């Protein structure tokens, strides 16, 4: 039920983020969502893209320290409380969220929340029981 | 030969050299009691009794830092262990420490030399002495402490750091003499200025600078900031510590206490003696140390000897210039000696670290800053930012353990640093002190 997020280690150097974006552009990769975890010394770029395997190879080839990370992409209603309801559910089940980011979905009235959790399988079943829609890799590719 | 300090300090060259020869003979005899020098003399077919003139010293090979490491812990000890009252140690490259032992007599004579230095600076029992150097294995703190007490000054054993407290002590106890590294003195002056204070708020009249090289420009800046006279103090733990050479009020070169040390300047490449006036590596021989005599010890410090020995101050002891560099790659950071190889040792034993790194030295708020920029190993990144932060923290911690200096650590992508061609440039020193 998980999708592949591409994670890139970026040192603190001017233009490095642009170079990563350029590598994706040249490979014809479309970015669905991104988040940048930043410290003063380095950053970790997290990407949801249409074709993760190709994105991974393209970044690797350009010398980027790149990794694949399994995350959950969940549709939530695009209205006040959409995220809060989802997190209340996870908190109730004592599921620890390592990080989260979101983007507006293409489906009218929906947003997509990307979740990184320790136990994706268990989290997926919790979400399914509450009849949330978990997006598949194909869903992301077709967005 | 008179024993009293004042008379000794006015001794002429002939008197000094006669005393040196006498003392060198007994020093070599004492050295021969240590396993290290016994073997060294034997393999050079040298007997201490063979020494006829001071120039015969040149027949003996140099002693180098590696000899001290190889002799760890006690192969250079030249007296019965029960006579030793103190040891000082410095962490060497890649973990092998060097040790210097002292008998009660050694500490007593070292203290005497420090007293001479303090008197040369014009200090008296009326002074209040704030010792802003580290205590412990580092000889800077304890060395001056003992001398200042013997002179009768009130000693404030402040140690390094804790800047606001230092400034409070200046004010509350009327400190008149401070002992400090130039870089820390700069930082302290920045802080008291920020607090709205100036030299008129203190009674500091003299500053004794040691432990790190600095420029003439910084000296003037500091003398102005504190409205005090600066005196340079030279020493190294192998030669006891501070108080080997000290500046008289002429402020041009430091007099070496030649009744206790023989100084030579050599070409670091060939080992040949250099004439006065030419810069080379400073070599010392101890003349009075009992626990651990060192013969022709190569300091790796670069300096020159001033050709004329007679000084307007009345002393005839040889003067050496300020230290202008090193003949090895040793770095002095916040007054602490360290070698790039120690940093490399830490990096290379840490999993997840690549093979390329760069040590960057600069100054931030007038304090030395050490930054280690290091590539992560290919494959070390698994998508987790937290893992990278842990790696960074681990390197920081291990460096602190190894080199005793707080370092900033920057993680770089594999291949970020220019690939090494031949001898890689590992150190970028941007400090301008």
């Amino acid at each position: 039920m998980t999708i592949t997020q591409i994670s890139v280690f970026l040192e603190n150097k001017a233009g490095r983020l642009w170079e990563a974006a350029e590598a994706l552009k040249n490979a014809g990769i479309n970015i669905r969502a991104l988040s940048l975890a930043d410290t003063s010394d380095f950053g970790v770029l997290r990407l949801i893209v249409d074709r993760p395997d190709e994105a991974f190879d393209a970044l690797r080839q350009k010398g980027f320290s790149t990794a694949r990370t399994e995350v959950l992409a969940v549709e939530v209603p695009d209205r006040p409380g959409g995220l809060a309801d989802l997190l209340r559910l996870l908190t109730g089940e004592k599921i620890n969220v390592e990080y989260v980011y979101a983007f507006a979905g293409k489906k009218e009235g929906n947003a997509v929340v990307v979740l990184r959790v320790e136990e994706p399988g268990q989290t997926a079943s919790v979400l399914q029981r509450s009849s949330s829609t978990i997006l598949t890799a194909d869903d992301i590719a077709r967005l | 030969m008179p024993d009293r300090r004042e008379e000794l300090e006015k001794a002429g060259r002939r008197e000094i050299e006669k005393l040196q020869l006498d003392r060198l003979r007994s020093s070599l005899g004492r050295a021969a009691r240590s396993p290290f020098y016994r073997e060294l003399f034997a393999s050079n077919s040298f007997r201490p009794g063979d020494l006829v003139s001071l120039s015969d010293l040149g027949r003996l090979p140099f002693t180098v830092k590696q000899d001290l490491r190889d002799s760890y812990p006690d192969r250079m000890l030249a007296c019965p262990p029960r006579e030793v009252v103190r040891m000082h140690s410095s962490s060497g490259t890649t973990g092998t420490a060097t040790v210097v032992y002292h008998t009660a007599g050694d500490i007593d004579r070292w203290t005497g030399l420090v007293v001479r230095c303090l008197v040369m600076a014009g200090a008296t029992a009326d002074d209040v002495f704030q010792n802003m150097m580290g205590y412990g294995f580092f000889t800077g703190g304890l060395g001056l402490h003992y001398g200042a007490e013997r002179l009768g000054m009130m000693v404030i054993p402040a140690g390094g750091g804790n800047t606001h407290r230092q400034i409070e002590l200046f004010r509350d106890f009327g400190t008149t003499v401070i002992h400090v590294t130039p870089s820390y003195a700069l930082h302290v002056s920045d802080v008291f200025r920020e607090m709205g204070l100036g030299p008129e708020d203190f009674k500091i009249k003299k500053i004794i600078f040691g432990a790190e090289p600095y420029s003439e420009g910084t000296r003037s800046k500091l003398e102005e900031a504190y409205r005090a006279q600066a005196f340079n103090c030279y020493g190294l733990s192998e030669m006891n510590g501070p108080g080997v050479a000290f500046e008289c009020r002429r402020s041009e070169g430091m007099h070496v206490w030649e009744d206790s040390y023989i100084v030579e300047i050599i070409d670091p490449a060939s080992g040949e003696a250099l004439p006065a006036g030419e810069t080379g590596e400073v070599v010392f021989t101890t003349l009075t140390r009992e626990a651990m005599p060192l013969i022709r010890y190569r300091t790796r410090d670069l300096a020159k000897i001033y050709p004329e020995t007679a000084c307007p101050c009345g002393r005839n002891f040889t003067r050496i210039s300020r230290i202008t560099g090193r003949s090895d790659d040793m770095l002095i950071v916040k007054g602490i000696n360290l070698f790039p190889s120690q940093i490399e040792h830490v990096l290379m034993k840490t999993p997840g670290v690549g093979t390329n790194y760069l040590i960057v030295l600069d100054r931030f708020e007038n304090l030395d800053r050490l930054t280690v920029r290091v590539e992560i190993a290919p494959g070390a990144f698994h998508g987790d930012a937290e893992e990278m932060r842990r790696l960074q923290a681990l390197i920081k911690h291990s460096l602190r353990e190894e080199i005793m200096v707080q370092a900033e650590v920057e993680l770089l992508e594999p291949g970020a640093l220019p690939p090494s061609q031949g001898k890689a440039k590992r150190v970028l020193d941007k400090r301008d002190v």
Side-chain angles (χ1 to χ4, degrees):
Chain A
M1 289 313 287
T2 56
I3 59 165
T4 301
Q5 168 194 278
I6 302 299
S7 307
V8 191
F9 174 78
L10 295 175
E11 65 187 50
N12 181 13
K13 182 180 139 197
R16 199 59 184 148
L17 179 59
W18 166 66
E19 284 165 7
E22 197 75 5
L24 294 171
K25 174 181 126 183
N26 294 336
I29 304 291
N30 201 357
I31 301 171
R32 299 285 186 240
L34 70 80
S35 120
L36 186 60
D38 193 21
T39 73
S40 58
D41 301 312
F42 63 85
V44 172
L45 176 64
R46 296 164 181 149
L47 297 161
I48 303 296
V49 298
D50 54 352
R51 303 193 311 282
D53 289 338
E54 286 170 49
F56 180 83
D57 291 341
L59 288 163
R60 271 273 161 113
Q61 250 168 26
K62 287 286 171 195
F64 286 94
S65 277
T66 310
R68 295 183 178 91
T69 312
E70 295 307 305
V71 294
L72 288 163
V74 191
E75 266 186 354
V76 297
D78 192 359
R79 57 160 169 77
L83 178 63
D85 291 348
L86 172 68
L87 293 178
R88 181 171 40 105
L89 178 67
L90 297 179
T91 307
E93 296 287 335
K94 298 204 167 16
I95 291 167
N96 188 27
V97 178
E98 285 179 38
Y99 55 81
V100 60
Y101 53 101
F103 57 101
K106 288 252 170 97
K107 212 188 281 179
E108 191 66 28
N110 271 341
V112 180
V113 173
V114 180
L115 289 171
R116 167 70 179 169
V117 291
E118 261 169 43
E119 309 258 2
Q122 185 210 334
T123 311
S125 13
V126 168
L127 290 168
Q128 276 159 343
R129 278 204 303 275
S130 76
S131 48
S132 309
T133 308
I134 300 175
L135 301 185
T136 63
D138 284 345
D139 296 334
I140 297 291
R142 279 197 300 266
L143 275 180
Chain B
M1 192 68 207
D3 272 324
R4 293 187 52 233
R5 184 181 52 73
E6 296 85 355
E7 291 171 44
L8 180 62
E9 287 189 45
K10 282 178 198 148
R13 286 308 300 174
R14 273 178 57 189
E15 274 175 282
I16 292 171
E17 279 160 27
K18 184 179 173 301
L19 181 69
Q20 282 189 321
L21 183 60
D22 288 349
R23 287 187 172 175
L24 180 58
R25 281 205 188 96
S26 43
S27 191
L28 290 171
R30 274 195 303 273
R33 291 178 207 154
S34 73
F36 173 80
Y37 280 111
R38 190 165 50 237
E39 283 165 29
L40 186 100
F41 292 169
S43 62
N44 285 275
S45 313
F46 179 88
R47 281 171 305 174
D50 295 347
L51 191 93
V52 178
S53 73
L54 284 176
S55 58
D56 289 340
L57 181 60
R59 286 172 47 198
L60 280 170
F62 296 109
T63 302
V64 296
K65 185 116 180 164
Q66 191 59 42
D67 294 327
L68 268 77
R69 285 187 204 117
D70 295 344
S71 302
Y72 182 89
D74 59 5
R75 280 180 46 81
M76 283 196 179
L77 187 61
C79 71
R82 72 175 307 274
E83 290 177 19
V84 174
V85 300
R86 198 199 297 170
M87 58 85 88
H88 279 280
S89 177
S90 64
S91 70
T93 44
T94 61
T96 318
T98 60
V99 184
V100 176
Y101 296 98
H102 302 273
T103 63
D106 290 336
I107 297 285
D108 177 68
R109 282 181 293 273
W110 176 18
T111 301
L113 295 181
V114 173
V115 169
R116 279 192 214 167
C117 298
L118 294 167
V119 168
M120 191 139 92
T124 71
D126 294 324
D127 282 301
V128 175
F129 178 75
Q130 190 162 325
N131 199 6
M132 299 162 71
M133 289 277 192
Y135 281 71
F137 277 142
F138 177 58
T139 53
L142 283 169
L144 265 284
H145 181 104
Y146 274 52
E149 269 189 7
R150 181 174 298 177
L151 183 62
M153 298 198 273
M154 180 174 92
V155 179
I156 305 175
N162 210 344
T163 305
H164 282 89
R165 185 82 207 284
Q166 301 274 9
I167 294 166
E168 215 172 275
L169 293 167
F170 287 168
R171 296 227 279 180
D172 295 350
F173 297 96
T175 302
T176 56
V177 182
I178 59 176
H179 178 218
V180 62
T181 62
S183 58
Y184 189 49
L186 278 171
H187 178 73
V188 172
S189 69
D190 285 347
V191 174
F192 70 61
R193 222 173 283 135
E194 271 168 35
M195 295 165 73
L197 300 172
E200 62 282 357
D201 296 299
F202 312 123
K203 292 180 179 162
I204 300 165
K205 289 288 161 288
K206 301 173 203 306
I207 312 176
I208 294 162
F209 284 130
E212 66 185 19
Y214 72 122
S215 70
E216 211 46 50
T218 303
R219 181 207 190 101
S220 313
K221 199 165 140 189
L222 284 166
E223 288 187 323
E224 202 180 295
Y226 287 84
R227 218 173 287 159
Q229 187 174 6
F231 294 87
N232 290 333
C233 179
Y234 175 76
L236 59 160
S237 60
E238 294 88 336
M239 292 295 130
N240 297 338
V244 174
F246 198 86
E247 216 172 25
C248 62
R249 277 183 250 190
R250 177 190 191 178
S251 301
E252 198 190 332
M254 298 174 283
H255 288 286
V256 177
W257 298 124
E258 288 181 286
D259 56 319
S260 304
Y261 306 96
I262 290 176
V263 59
E264 300 171 76
I265 304 284
I266 61 159
D267 177 337
S270 69
E272 294 299 316
L274 288 177
E278 277 186 41
T279 297
E281 184 177 332
V282 187
V283 173
F284 285 112
T285 298
T286 63
L287 290 176
T288 59
R289 201 155 62 197
E290 295 166 340
M292 197 173 137
L294 282 176
I295 312 299
R296 305 195 83 202
Y297 180 72
R298 289 185 65 158
T299 63
R300 297 289 173 183
D301 284 329
L302 299 179
K304 65 174 181 184
I305 282 179
Y306 287 89
E308 41 139 7
T309 48
C311 183
C313 77
R315 293 177 186 83
N316 295 298
F317 290 108
T318 297
R319 281 174 302 133
I320 57 169
S321 67
R322 62 171 60 241
I323 305 306
T324 50
R326 295 277 303 175
S327 70
D328 61 7
D329 58 354
M330 189 183 88
L331 304 168
I332 303 178
V333 180
K334 296 176 186 169
I336 293 173
N337 301 344
L338 64 98
F339 289 91
S341 55
Q342 289 175 277
I343 292 173
E344 177 164 316
H345 176 67
V346 167
L347 296 177
M348 294 310 131
K349 74 175 185 194
T350 308
V353 167
T355 51
N356 250 338
Y357 67 93
L358 182 69
I359 299 164
V360 182
L361 289 160
D362 61 1
R363 300 179 63 77
F364 180 68
E365 291 177 350
N366 272 324
L367 286 175
D368 284 350
R369 179 168 58 182
L370 170 67
T371 308
V372 177
R373 311 187 69 212
V374 60
E375 291 180 10
I376 62 169
F381 176 65
H382 301 104
D384 191 354
E386 191 48 40
E387 186 186 17
M388 294 291 104
R389 274 190 285 269
R390 274 199 302 273
L391 175 63
Q392 192 180 26
L394 174 66
I395 298 172
K396 259 188 176 172
H397 176 78
S398 315
L399 281 174
R400 169 92 214 178
E401 297 267 287
E402 170 74 24
I403 61 176
M404 316 288 187
V405 177
Q406 186 79 40
E408 303 292 324
V409 173
E410 274 179 33
L411 297 182
L412 305 180
E413 296 172 37
L417 292 168
S420 55
Q421 286 161 344
K423 195 171 156 51
K425 181 149 174 58
R426 299 294 197 194
V427 180
L428 181 62
D429 196 341
K430 301 195 277 191
R431 291 175 298 180
D432 184 20
V433 185

